[in-house]
Amino acid sequence: MPAPVIAPSILSADFARLGAEVDAVLAAGADWVHFDVMDNHYVPNLTIGPLVCQALRKHGVKAPIDVHLMVEPVDRIVPDFAEAGATWISFHPEASRHVDRTIQLIRSCGCRPGIVLNPATPLAWLDHVLESVDLVLLMSVNPGFGGQQFIESAIGKLAEARRRIDACGREVRLEIDGGVKLDNIGRIARAGADTFVAGSAIFGSKDYAATVSAMRKEIKGDAHL
Ligand code: DX5
Ligand code: ZN
């Protein structure tokens, strides 16, 4: 399994001080920046676009930027995010008319493609995309807002997704997004996730470094030794 990645979702950051918030969370030991894009159409909320991604790069952010597109349609905005400095671009398959084309488009723009499955979206979507994506993101809340409760059925779904990824033989990251906290991240890791998005749990804490390192301990499983 690839080394664990902690990806704070900037949705819960202080947007008036976004550059400083991202610097602080990366200095605190986070690996990636999780960048939630919402369009008030695919999801009932509106957030940030390529301009903000580019602004973070101009600010000097070197870490991978993990763009989570909650937009419909998808393809129009993909090249803009690639130009703005996205590293990963993940999308929801229901939001794209031609899923394989979108995956190819993301890769041809120089980014790494990911597929995102909502809590009620079946793993069957993986049947014909595991050969071409680099990341599978399972939502453990309904997309649209930070600070929601973790949906428990994601645990069994993670275990099954892990089995499928291992069986496919390619290196595909398995990411979890929504309601990830210090008290459930250990169980989530044991279920098979290797990439952990956490918004309110990190940005809502006083000491980012303490929270990130406590999460790493829980992921490794030695927090209670
Ligand atoms: C929800 C977003 C998440 C969200 C996670 O639609 O995709 O990334 O910010 O927030 P928390 O960790 O607070 O549930
Ligand atoms: Zn997200």
Side-chain angles (χ1 to χ4, degrees):
M1 202 142 85
V5 158
I6 296 183
S9 160
I10 57 174
L11 192 58
S12 293
D14 177 355
F15 275 106
R17 312 170 40 252
L18 189 57
E21 285 274 75
V22 170
D23 291 345
V25 90
L26 292 171
D31 303 288
W32 296 359
V33 177
H34 185 78
F35 193 104
D36 285 307
V37 184
M38 305 185 187
D39 67 350
N40 185 37
H41 174 68
Y42 177 69
V43 290
N45 199 358
L46 187 64
T47 59
I48 46 179
L51 214 62
V52 176
C53 184
Q54 189 181 41
L56 288 177
R57 288 300 188 208
K58 280 193 181 149
H59 177 73
V61 173
K62 300 273 185 284
I65 297 184
D66 176 30
V67 172
H68 174 191
L69 293 180
M70 288 160 276
V71 304
E72 183 178 2
V74 180
D75 293 8
R76 225 297 297 139
I77 204 78
V78 164
D80 296 15
F81 270 105
E83 261 171 52
T87 312
W88 298 82
I89 300 182
S90 300
F91 68 100
H92 291 249
E94 316 87 340
S96 171
R97 185 80 51 116
H98 302 282
V99 172
D100 185 74
R101 175 178 289 146
T102 304
I103 293 168
Q104 289 187 37
L105 172 65
I106 293 168
R107 207 179 281 288
S108 73
C109 289
C111 297
R112 303 192 66 182
I115 194 101
V116 192
L117 304 181
N118 282 333
T121 304
L123 288 173
W125 276 103
L126 301 184
D127 288 354
H128 304 286
V129 305
L130 268 187
E131 295 303 316
S132 51
V133 294
D134 291 344
L135 180 147
V136 171
L137 169 49
L138 297 190
M139 292 305 298
S140 39
V141 297
N142 288 295
F145 303 94
Q148 302 181 79
Q149 180 88 24
F150 184 84
I151 295 174
E152 277 301 319
S153 59
I155 293 287
K157 204 172 175 187
L158 272 173
E160 174 58 15
R162 166 55 55 199
R163 198 192 59 70
R164 290 188 186 214
I165 288 170
D166 289 349
C168 95
R170 295 183 60 243
E171 224 190 74
V172 177
R173 297 207 73 102
L174 179 54
E175 185 172 34
I176 186 84
D177 184 4
V180 176
K181 309 278 177 205
L182 207 45
D183 65 7
N184 62 10
I185 199 168
R187 280 192 306 124
I188 292 167
R190 239 65 73 219
D194 54 48
T195 304
F196 306 84
V197 176
S200 49
I202 293 176
F203 285 106
S205 72
K206 283 217 166 64
D207 184 339
Y208 298 168
T211 306
V212 170
S213 74
M215 284 181 160
R216 277 199 204 286
K217 275 197 178 142
E218 292 285 346
I219 292 166
K220 273 174 74 185
D222 58 4
H224 307 290
L225 296 181

